[in-house]
Amino acid sequence: MARQYPSKRATGARYEETAVDFLRQMGYEILERNYRDRLGEIDIVAEEGGYLVFVEVKYRKDAGNGYPEEAVSVPKQKRIRHTASWYLYQHGRSEETPCRFDVVSILGQEITLIRDAF
């Protein structure tokens, strides 16, 4: 009998939930999850310390294929920035809104928060 593996979507959702719990413990107020526009997606939108924070969550079972945060490439950052601009527009927020881009890196069971990652 073939072994069944969870889908990437199910695995991603599980670790995004882990990240949400972690961020709440760190004092973040979660506003939205999986915000999408036609060009991209933002895993978590939150507020923390006077900032509107756009959070990318990356998971790796181990470092064999690199660290999770390394997967947030320059093109990925560009898509996230564009999606964040659209979020501001859709939610009637000024372009002057203080924003930050954080990454939650999950390597095995270790969670690392990288504030102002890009």
Side-chain angles (χ1 to χ4, degrees), residues 41-52:
E41 177 187 0
I42 296 174
D43 294 329
I44 300 167
V45 181
E47 288 185 331
E48 192 270 337
Y51 286 87
L52 183 62

Side-chain angles (χ1 to χ4, degrees), residues 76-87:
K76 176 85 170 168
Q77 292 172 25
K78 185 176 179 181
R79 282 192 304 276
I80 292 169
R81 281 190 186 104
H82 176 273
T83 303
S85 292
W86 187 246
Y87 180 92

Side-chain angles (χ1 to χ4, degrees), residues 58-76:
K58 287 296 179 188
Y59 165 77
R60 295 285 182 270
K61 182 173 142 183
D62 56 50
N65 290 323
Y67 291 95
E69 61 271 20
E70 294 172 345
V72 187
S73 64
V74 171
K76 176 85 170 168

Side-chain angles (χ1 to χ4, degrees), residues 1-7 11:
M1 180 176 224
R3 183 171 175 187
Q4 298 236 351
Y5 294 97
S7 70
T11 299

